[in-house]
Amino acid sequence: MQNLERYERQLRIEGWRQDKLAESTVMVIGVGAIGCEVAKNLTLMGVGRLIIVDNDVVEVSNLSRQMLFTDDDVGRPKTVAAKEKLVKMNPLVIVDQYYSDVRELSEDLFRKAEVVCSCLDNWPVRRWVNSMCIELDKPLVDVAMEGLYSNLQVVIPGKTACLECHGEDLIPREIQLAECTLRRRKPEDLKKDLEEQKIHVSLDLVERLFEVGIKTIFDIKYSQAQILDKLDEDVRIKVREIQESLKPKMPALQSVAATIAGIATTEIVKILHGESLGRILNGLLVYDGYSTRFTKVKLMRKIECFACGEHVKTEGAEISVSLDDRVIDLKKKIAESFGFPDPEILYKKWRLQDDQTLREVGIKDGDITYVETSRRFTPLPLKLILKTS
Ligand SMILES: [Zn+2]
């Protein structure tokens, strides 16, 4: 009965089903300005279980907009501090918190969620989450903002466009280019790149990073914990310091976060209702706070999308090669075609070596290889089509 009183006003909404909310689990990835708002909204409305994920701690500069945190929380993991506030707001909601990189969590955890809401501030991990949602057939609500602009995309796997369907238009050019960099790099190159960012490190340090495959600034920013774990403690601490100084510091405003997070939460609730509460946003919604303008962009699913295309899922993506290509050439082609910065190619039981030619590997026309990359939840099946010359 306490429930009925608590939710009395929302129960008056036509088509509202509190039971649907109460039996649902929603995963919120990233507990920043937008993530705080979404988690708060879902908690107040009485979602059954909330899974919150973030690998950061609270900083003073978060306090102007990350509404679940106070001065007392500075230095504490965001998820721990957020959970404390959320269970006070509504003790009927179960909150599971994971102070972790989302890419380190078990697949079973994602399976528990009815909807995934991505409130991340970087493309590499957003792309990873997109691939995971498609693989596990989970609706994804992706939200992001910069300054007075924000955007929202709802992905219903198999039905609506995913983040990669129009990745070439939606993912900023400079990120695409950085993603495609696949050069024969030397430790000196990384040292130089860091110096351009005003970060000075010893050659010995970058050499040790190269040993575990960290070759670019992108690798430093977005390497998963399991790669960093291979480093000695002193190097790892240094990498964390560098990561800290490389953190994107985009302009951000609480009111814009609250606006887009409010809309995102309504879409999540509509998904949980199974459309009985209204039509779910199809495509992309852009909010421009400067001119108070909302723009809806209809996105068509791309048949040949390498993340969600039906054919790709069953048959694999395709790429044309010649037997004289070396593995490094194929990797370059993959990096350019799919925007994977660090592809590894698996064939039969082997991980292919850069200097081998495809003839030496024994590739035949139509063979399937698997491309491993930190931008995907699972390796991408890739069919090699031999060029007839
Ligand atoms: Zn797609």
Side-chain angles (χ1 to χ4, degrees):
M1 281 310 104
Q2 190 212 343
N3 301 11
L4 287 182
E5 198 181 335
R6 178 182 282 267
Y7 303 124
E8 198 250 342
R9 294 293 284 273
Q10 65 197 39
L11 292 170
R12 290 169 187 264
I13 293 169
E14 204 184 321
W16 187 268
R17 291 277 304 273
Q18 192 64 40
D19 58 323
K20 294 247 189 197
L21 253 72
E23 61 203 21
S24 298
T25 297
V26 179
M27 186 179 216
V28 177
I29 304 169
V31 190
I34 297 169
C36 277
E37 285 283 340
V38 171
K40 173 262 289 175
N41 293 343
L42 290 168
T43 299
L44 293 177
M45 288 192 250
V47 76
R49 183 185 291 269
L50 203 55
I51 299 171
I52 53 174
V53 185
D54 200 301
N55 61 347
D56 261 334
V57 296
V58 179
E59 292 172 34
V60 173
S61 64
N62 301 150
L63 299 179
S64 63
R65 59 197 184 286
Q66 304 188 8
M67 50 76 60
L68 293 172
F69 313 129
T70 64
D71 287 276
D72 294 338
D73 295 317
V74 172
R76 303 177 71 207
K78 287 184 174 178
T79 51
V80 174
K83 178 179 172 170
E84 274 176 17
K85 311 295 185 321
L86 294 169
V87 294
K88 267 189 205 154
M89 284 180 187
N90 188 351
L92 300 172
V93 176
I94 298 166
V95 181
D96 296 334
Q97 63 83 22
Y98 293 85
Y99 173 44
S100 159
D101 183 325
V102 65
R103 296 168 296 178
E104 311 289 334
L105 299 175
S106 88
E107 194 175 317
D108 289 339
L109 191 67
F110 299 108
R111 290 191 188 280
K112 286 184 190 153
E114 267 77 31
V115 181
V116 172
C117 181
S118 161
C119 310
L120 293 159
D121 60 1
N122 70 83
W123 272 105
V125 186
R126 282 167 75 188
R127 295 180 67 192
W128 186 95
V129 170
N130 178 68
S131 82
M132 185 271 294
C133 286
I134 284 156
E135 205 63 35
L136 303 185
D137 201 16
K138 296 287 173 198
L140 165 67
V141 176
D142 178 81
V143 206
M145 69 167 179
E146 186 168 350
L148 293 196
Y149 297 100
S150 58
N151 56 268
L152 165 64
Q153 186 177 343
V154 177
V155 180
I156 310 290
K159 290 204 177 116
T160 66
C162 82
L163 265 52
E164 304 275 14
C165 279
H166 301 277
E168 71 280 8
D169 297 321
L170 297 181
I171 301 175
R173 190 84 192 117
E174 68 267 22
I175 293 194
Q176 287 181 42
L177 288 177
E179 299 269 42
C180 296
T181 314
L182 188 82
R183 286 174 277 147
R184 288 266 170 133
R185 286 173 63 88
K186 297 190 293 295
E188 289 81 354
D189 299 329
L190 178 57
K191 189 171 184 299
K192 209 169 126 237
D193 290 349
L194 284 168
E195 271 157 16
E196 279 170 19
Q197 305 282 327
K198 304 200 173 20
I199 296 167
H200 299 276
V201 294
S202 66
L203 190 58
D204 174 58
L205 183 98
V206 283
E207 277 167 356
R208 284 158 82 183
L209 296 182
F210 260 64
E211 284 165 19
V212 297
I214 298 178
K215 297 182 179 179
T216 64
I217 287 196
F218 244 70
D219 294 339
I220 295 182
K221 275 175 150 173
Y222 302 116
S223 277
Q224 285 170 255
Q226 65 205 47
I227 293 173
L228 300 185
D229 283 346
K230 291 185 200 157
L231 295 164
D232 294 333
E233 172 100 35
D234 57 325
V235 183
R236 202 162 52 229
I237 291 171
K238 190 76 200 157
V239 172
R240 296 246 186 260
E241 279 172 27
I242 301 173
Q243 281 178 331
E244 197 56 37
S245 41
L246 289 173
K247 254 191 201 165
K249 300 265 193 273
M250 263 121 51
L253 192 65
Q254 161 60 15
S255 56
V256 174
T259 304
I260 204 72
I263 299 170
T265 316
T266 307
E267 295 308 310
I268 293 171
V269 170
K270 280 154 68 181
I271 296 170
L272 296 179
H273 273 76
E275 301 231 1
S276 68
L277 204 58
R279 229 176 53 216
I280 298 158
L281 169 71
N282 182 358
L284 180 72
L285 180 75
V286 181
Y287 168 61
D288 166 4
Y290 285 106
S291 48
T292 324
R293 184 182 296 141
F294 283 97
T295 311
K296 243 159 98 172
V297 184
K298 193 159 188 197
L299 300 175
M300 303 294 282
R301 257 188 95 195
K302 211 171 179 178
I303 305 293
E304 69 278 18
C305 171
F306 64 81
C308 77
E310 297 301 339
H311 178 76
V312 171
K313 280 177 90 174
T314 49
E315 305 277 321
E318 288 179 4
I319 202 160
S320 65
V321 295
S322 105
L323 285 178
D324 294 319
D325 286 347
R326 286 173 312 149
V327 170
I328 186 77
D329 302 322
L330 178 57
K331 283 185 178 178
K332 258 181 211 158
K333 213 181 264 181
I334 291 170
E336 280 157 20
S337 310
F338 304 103
F340 296 158
D342 47 8
E344 286 288 326
I345 302 168
L346 311 176
Y347 176 64
K348 295 179 178 169
K349 54 186 188 301
W350 308 297
R351 182 175 294 266
L352 303 186
Q353 300 303 313
D354 287 356
D355 286 324
Q356 293 173 297
T357 64
L358 299 185
R359 181 175 283 110
E360 284 163 358
V361 176
I363 295 286
K364 290 180 295 301
D365 186 41
D367 271 353
I368 302 275
T369 58
Y370 290 87
V371 181
E372 233 181 34
T373 159
S374 60
R375 300 299 176 265
R376 279 180 62 89
F377 171 66
T378 49
L380 173 74
L382 182 65
K383 194 188 263 188
L384 303 186
I385 309 293
L386 286 190
K387 273 184 216 153
T388 43
S389 47

